[in-house]
């Protein structure tokens, strides 16, 4: 809502600056987004009158004008097509800076001196659409009586004014009215409020009830319909003062009738509609729902087909307006119009909101109806508008008014306990002071018993319906800043930190300490992302939760895996020439479920690609499968998980995005909780990542079942450790895991640790074989192991390996 | 014998003083004190002496042995010192070479701030609760006093899954779920961090962002308590000199409602580019829990009251770290992430 400071002054005494006013309103909950000075940048532009026009001797398209600016007569050369002798114009005199950055200097144009410039709307930084067509292509020519030679143009154009742009919250739609804003200001500043005159002068003649007929079919959707008829008017421009008020409010002046309806809408917040009375079949108004497929051409000249539920205003034959949203083209007021039927109605907000949404039209009118207007004011607004139309159009208001009012407004009365107000706010405001505050807000207040007030709510404050609403009004006027600052009393919450939270923290810290960078990607993905990742039809990753109204197709479905985001991030960074990539993300994926809500599962995902630079001391190491596997292993170890296995997938088709020979399921105590693997080369190339990458994704909920978040302390060993190495040569087909398992099985309790420290294939080993070198540590908890004991056990391990895997000692 | 001893002493001391390394010193030790060492031999021959002479010579021999040993000891220390000094000199390195590369990972800046926020409210006795990101219309709107067709629904343009299911537009539904779960027990002191979604995508809006919701319900909770809690928060996160200012506002689920501004963290309130020359930065919305919301969740608004607040984590992150482009937070540019 744009509020003109000058216009406001007609309704309320204002002795503070626009900026101070803005602050006061903002601190009272009517947020002022901006304060704009309309004449910004327009200085040294005055009204002049063209007293002579002669052709330019050296240029066909230029003329030389003599312009009287009161203090002087200037010679100005111009090419404007619409210069006319005696015309009053806006003259930018020498030294003037225009809003578009032009500086006016004394100049010669084709040999003739020019001492200034006659301005167009654009040159003054004004919207040309507010001016006549002729003036849109040329300079502004003022109506003779509308401008005084020598005056500052800002005064003439009403630009010596400020506009406060209100960012209204939905509950304060009443402030989409100058009068209601003025009332609010009066409550805040104590300034005197002045209501505009609502007096109406009816003429003799046929009464309105014989001229027209109004019927409301949908009483639930139209609670009141007031009609007046104004006759014998002539359509023309509205007066300058009205145009200036409208322009400042951002409304384009059209003609005296439409301008009055808009003016009253801005002033009182009551949207009005003026029909060309003679174009209403049977002079009838019927407020009804549209029939399926009914058509109406609205004043924007667009034909619209309606469904069966749109509230329309119809005459005896057809719909002539979409109620509260937009009028019809056929019954629109035109230059030929002489008789007007004026509508001032109350349409139910939700219905208007739905209609406006449905037909895709949001007008100043619908914006007001949607949020609820002043129901008690329809007749007064009609009176004031009818009177203004008659005055400005030289017509007569037909006697009488049609006021169909099936759902009369009942003034709400709210009971408020002063003790409760203080209890909620933490204040000690006296009941008398509360009375004063409520009365300032135009409520009738009565103390019905000690400390209990009954307040009658004014008709425009639809937002006030219960005691708590008045508590807020008291707090607002008392000032939030004046309420004492305290800390909550009472007991602290006793809820422990959840295992989910602990796990998330531990995993996050663990992955960060492994060198991964945390990333956050959008929860929605493109369904095409799964094509790129080679995910086959029917794969569970393809059963998405779909968004009905996504912003783009790229964000059409909820992710079922973190993989698309991880790969996209890696590829994006790669394109920025970041080659060494290590990312992780902890976030939810969304799986369709039988329940009303999808299954949201926290996943832990990571991607590594490129190599890790280790500085000059050591060579770089590849960020490959084993790097990420090492991270997963360390993480699981830190989480005290026992029984970890990495196994090739039982059903490789479950992981179509992964390299089939370099992928594994992560299995904890027999349960698969996720996967790790190199990305399939085809998928890599599809996403534009031109180097190998390894990914992993673990399920948070499954992981939680296998971790031990509160480790219990085990006594430190008191007896020494003995180390022995063992190198064997086995066939490639024998997995490291199998060897490890056998060593552990034979080693039993005394074997404390195994480290694989070398894997070798090469000249000294036969083709198809590899050498694995282990370092084993032995320790007993209750004694120092003897050399013999260790040797015996170590040999036993070695023998079993030789036997079971046909291994050779190297 | 006596002469013999004196002679050994003289030679030994002389030789010791001439030793230049630890090897020579060791040979000398063996020469005199070894099994066949000169001094050892002399001492072994003591048995042949008369009982009168034995103690006298014995005393002398011990004296001489001690002297030589002492000298040996001194010499050893000297030589060891020489060796060590030499070694230290040889082991000099170029300490200006860079250290080994430690490849530290990073916590996302948004979550660093979230961690801070959580820490502050934990300290104030709040616990952390999460809720679903895909929510029922009931929890996201209706139970928050936002019935269908309520004009305030326009403030939050939503992504819908079905008519009744949507991506939550705020973390406020967790308020309702928590109150239902608590089954009218007191107190409730929770914060609910998480992702939220709105149909907005431009330079200052992301379709996905993060909020932290707070809720305190108890007996005798006042608007003043809300002010105190938020002031504590603002000072802990933005600095001790920060002031806050509450402005009346409107949220359907709180009343009285307030927008909360903090004095500008850049200029301190005198006005600058960051605060659009107002001296204040809007950081969160808050208010007393609306009685209807309490009622719908099974609490008697005559008996209990509460306050709630909600803040955008992106906004606070951007303010604290001076990030001027929201998009950076979800772009995951390594060069950006590694700055934090």
């Amino acid at each position: 809502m744009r509020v003109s400071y000058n216009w406001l002054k007609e309704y309320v005494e204002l002795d503070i600056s626009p900026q101070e006013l803005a602050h006061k309103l903002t601190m009272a909950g009517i947020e002022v987004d901006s304060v704009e000075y309309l004449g910004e940048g327009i200085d040294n532009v005055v009204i002049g009158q063209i007293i002579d026009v002669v052709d330019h001797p050296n240029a066909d398209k230029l003329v030389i004008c003599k312009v009287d600016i009161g203090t002087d007569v200037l010679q100005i050369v111009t090419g404007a097509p619409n210069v006319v002798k005696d015309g009053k114009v806006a003259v930018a005199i020498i030294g003037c800076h225009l809003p578009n950055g032009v500086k006016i200097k004394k100049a010669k144009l084709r040999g003739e001196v020019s001492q200034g410039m006659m301005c167009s709307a654009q040159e003054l930084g004004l919207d040309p659409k507010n001016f006549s067509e002729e003036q849109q292509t040329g300079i502004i020519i003022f109506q003779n009586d509308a401008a005084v030679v020598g005056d500052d143009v800002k005064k003439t154009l009403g630009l010596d004014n400020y506009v406060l742009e209100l960012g209204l919250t939905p509950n304060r739609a009443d402030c989409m009215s100058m009068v209601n804003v003025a009332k609010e200001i009066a409550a805040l500043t104590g300034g005197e409020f002045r209501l505009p005159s609502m007096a109406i002068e009816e003429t003799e003649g046929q009464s309105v009830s014989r001229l027209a007929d109004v019927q409301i079919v949908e009483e639930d959707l139209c609670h009141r319909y007031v009609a007046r008829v104004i006759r014998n008017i002539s359509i023309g421009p509205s007066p300058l003062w009205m145009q200036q008020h409208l322009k400042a409010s951002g409304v384009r002046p059209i003609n005296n009738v439409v301008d009055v309806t808009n003016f009253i809408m801005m002033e009182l917040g009551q949207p009005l509609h003026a029909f060309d009375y003679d174009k209403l079949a049977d002079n009838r108004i019927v407020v009804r729902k549209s029939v399926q497929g009914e058509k109406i051409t609205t004043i924007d000249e667009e034909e619209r087909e309606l469904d069966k539920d749109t509230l329309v205003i119809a005459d005896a034959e057809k719909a002539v307006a979409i109620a509260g949203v937009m009028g019809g083209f056929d019954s629109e007021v035109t230059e030929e119009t002489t008789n007007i039927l004026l509508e001032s109605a109350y349409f139910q907000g939700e219905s208007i909101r739905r209609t406006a949404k449905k037909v895709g039209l949001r007008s100043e009118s619908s914006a007001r109806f949607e949020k609820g207007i002043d129901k008690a004011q329809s007749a007064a607004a009609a009176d004031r508008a009818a009177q203004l139309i008659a005055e400005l159009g030289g017509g007569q208001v037909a006697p009488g008014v049609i006021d169909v009012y099936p759902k009369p407004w009942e003034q709400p009365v709210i009971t408020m306990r002063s003790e409760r107000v203080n209890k909620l706010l933490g204040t000690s405001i006296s009941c008398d002071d509360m009375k004063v505050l409520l009365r300032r807000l135009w409520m009738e207040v009565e103390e019905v018993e000690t400390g209990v007030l009954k307040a009658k709510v004014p008709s425009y404050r639809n937002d006030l319906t219960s005691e708590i609403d008045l508590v807020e009004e008291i707090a607002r006027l008392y000032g939030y800043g004046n309420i004492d600052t305290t800390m909550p009393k009472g007991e602290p919450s006793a809820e422990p930190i959840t295992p989910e939270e602990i796990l998330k923290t531990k995993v996050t810290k663990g992955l960060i300490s492994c060198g991964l960078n945390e990333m956050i990607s959008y929860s929605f993905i493109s369904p095409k992302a799964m094509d790129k990742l080679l995910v086959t039809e029917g794969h569970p990753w393809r059963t998405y939760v779909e968004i009905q109204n996504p912003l783009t197709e790229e964000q059409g479905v909820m992710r079922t895996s973190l993989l698309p985001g991880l790969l996209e991030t890696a590829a994006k960074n790669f394109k920025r020439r970041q080659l060494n990539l290590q990312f992780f993300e902890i976030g939810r994926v969304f799986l369709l479920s039988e329940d009303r809500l999808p299954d949201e599962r926290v996943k832990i995902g990571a991607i590594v690609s490129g190599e890790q630079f280790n500085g000059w001391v050591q060579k770089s190491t590849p960020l490959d499968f084993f790097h990420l596997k090492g991270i997963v292993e360390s993480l699981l170890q830190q989480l005290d998980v026992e029984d970890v296995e990495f196994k090739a997938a039982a059903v490789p088709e479950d992981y179509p995005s992964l390299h089939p020979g370099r992928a594994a399921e992560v299995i904890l105590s027999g349960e698969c909780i996720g996967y790790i693997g190199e990305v399939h080369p085809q998928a890599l190339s599809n996403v534009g990542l031109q180097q190998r990458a390894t990914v992993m994704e673990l399920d948070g909920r499954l992981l939680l079942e296998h971790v031990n978040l509160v480790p219990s302390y085990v006594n430190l060993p008191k007896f020494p450790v003995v180390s022995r190495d063992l190198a064997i040569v086995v066939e490639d087909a024998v997995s490291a895991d199998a060897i490890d398992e056998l060593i552990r099985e034979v080693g039993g309790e005394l074997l404390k640790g195994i480290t694989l420290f070398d894997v070798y294939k090469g000249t000294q080993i036969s083709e198809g074989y590899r050498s694995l070198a282990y370092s084993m540590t032995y320790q007993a908890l209750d004694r120092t192991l003897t050399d013999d004991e260790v040797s015996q056990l170590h040999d036993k391990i070695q023998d079993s390996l030789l036997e079971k895997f046909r291994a050779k000692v190297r | 014998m006596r002469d013999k001893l004196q002679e050994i002493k003289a030679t030994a001391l002389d030789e010791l003083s001439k030793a230049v390394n630890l090897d020579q010193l060791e040979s000398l030790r063996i020469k005199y004190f070894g099994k066949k060492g000169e001094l050892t031999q002399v001492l072994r021959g003591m048995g042949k002496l008369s009982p009168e002479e034995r103690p006298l010579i014995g005393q002398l021999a011990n004296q001489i042995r001690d002297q030589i040993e002492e000298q040996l000891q001194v010499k050893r220390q000297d030589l060891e010192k020489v060796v060590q000094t030499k070694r230290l000199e040889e082991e000099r390195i170029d300490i200006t070479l860079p250290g080994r590369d430690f490849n530290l990972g990073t916590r996302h800046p948004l979550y660093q701030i979230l961690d801070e926020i959580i820490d502050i409210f934990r300290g104030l006795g709040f616990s952390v609760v999460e809720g679903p990101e895909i929510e029922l219309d009931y929890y996201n709107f209706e139970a928050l006093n936002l019935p269908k067709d309520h004009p305030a629904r326009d403030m939050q343009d939503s992504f819908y899954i079905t008519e009744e299911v949507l991506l939550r537009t705020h973390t406020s539904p967790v308020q309702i779920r928590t109150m239902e779960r608590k089954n009218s027990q007191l107190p409730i002191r929770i914060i609910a961090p998480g992702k939220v979604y709105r149909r907005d995508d431009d330079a200052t809006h992301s379709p996905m962002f993060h909020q932290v919701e707070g809720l305190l319900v108890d007996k005798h909770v006042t608007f003043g308590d809300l002010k105190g809690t938020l002031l504590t928060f603002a000072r802990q996160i933005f600095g001790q000199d920060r002031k806050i200012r509450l402005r009346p506002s409107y949220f359907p689920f709180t009343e009285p409602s307030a927008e909360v501004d903090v004095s500008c963290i850049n200029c301190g309130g005198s006005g600058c580019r960051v605060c659009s020359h107002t001296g204040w930065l809007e950081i969160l919305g808050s208010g007393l829990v609306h009685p209807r919301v309490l009622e719908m969740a099974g609490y008697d608004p005559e008996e209990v009251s509460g306050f709630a607040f909600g803040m955008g984590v992106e906004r606070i992150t951007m303010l604290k770290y001076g990030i001027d482009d929201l998009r950076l937070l979800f772009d995951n540019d390594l060069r950006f992430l590694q700055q934090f």
Side-chain angles (χ1 to χ4, degrees), chain B residues 104-136:
Chain B
L104 298 183
T106 51
R107 176 87 157 140
H108 194 285
L110 204 59
Y111 292 162
Q112 292 192 30
I113 294 296
L114 186 58
D115 289 344
E116 272 189 57
I117 295 172
I118 290 174
D119 281 352
I120 292 170
F121 283 107
R122 272 226 179 95
L124 291 170
F126 287 72
S127 42
V128 178
V129 179
E130 291 194 2
E133 290 174 25
I134 300 184
E135 224 351 323
L136 295 173

Side-chain angles (χ1 to χ4, degrees), chain A residues 73-84:
Chain A
V73 174
L74 307 176
Q75 170 169 311
I76 298 175
V77 180
T78 179
N82 60 336
V83 282
V84 56

Side-chain angles (χ1 to χ4, degrees), chain A residues 425-474:
Chain A
L425 298 180
T427 49
S428 43
I429 307 168
S430 75
C431 187
D432 283 343
D433 287 347
M434 291 187 196
K435 254 187 265 181
V436 172
L437 293 176
L438 293 181
R439 280 181 184 142
R440 267 163 61 188
L441 291 165
W442 311 90
M443 292 182 216
E444 282 176 51
V445 187
E446 200 192 335
E447 187 164 355
V448 287
E449 57 184 276
T450 314
V452 179
L453 302 180
K454 274 199 188 303
K456 288 186 179 171
V457 178
S459 55
Y460 57 93
R461 290 298 303 271
N462 294 321
D463 60 318
L464 305 182
T465 59
S466 60
E467 187 180 38
I468 194 71
D469 300 325
L470 297 191
V471 174
E472 181 170 68
E473 292 305 288
I474 300 275

Side-chain angles (χ1 to χ4, degrees), chain A residues 353-354 483 486 501 523 616, chain B residues 98 122 149 154 197 225 227:
Chain A
R353 186 175 128 89
R354 272 197 299 268
I483 296 171
T486 51
E501 254 186 285
S523 304
W616 57 273
Chain B
R122 272 226 179 95
D149 288 315
D154 289 352
Y197 305 85
D225 295 343
K227 285 181 74 176

Side-chain angles (χ1 to χ4, degrees), chain B residues 49-73:
Chain B
L49 294 175
S50 67
E52 294 79 31
E53 252 184 333
R54 213 179 288 161
L56 295 172
I57 297 294
Q59 197 184 5
L60 179 67
N62 282 336
Q63 224 171 36
I64 286 172
R65 189 192 61 199
D66 287 352
Q67 280 171 347
I68 298 172
E69 249 176 10
E70 195 194 321
Q71 197 53 41
L72 192 76
Q73 205 60 31

Side-chain angles (χ1 to χ4, degrees), chain B residues 303-316:
Chain B
E303 293 295 316
V304 305
S305 53
F307 63 69
F309 54 85
M311 65 186 90
V313 186
E314 281 76 3
R315 168 132 179 100
I316 294 174

Side-chain angles (χ1 to χ4, degrees), chain A residues 7 36 56 143 200 259 350 442 481 496-497 521 533 546 555 615 638 663 745 751 770 788:
Chain A
W7 190 2
E36 176 194 350
H56 193 294
Q143 287 170 310
I200 185 157
D259 289 359
E350 284 167 29
W442 311 90
I497 303 180
S521 54
L533 300 187
E546 283 177 42
Q555 302 173 353
Q638 200 167 41
E745 193 193 306
L751 177 71
R770 59 179 172 169
D788 277 357

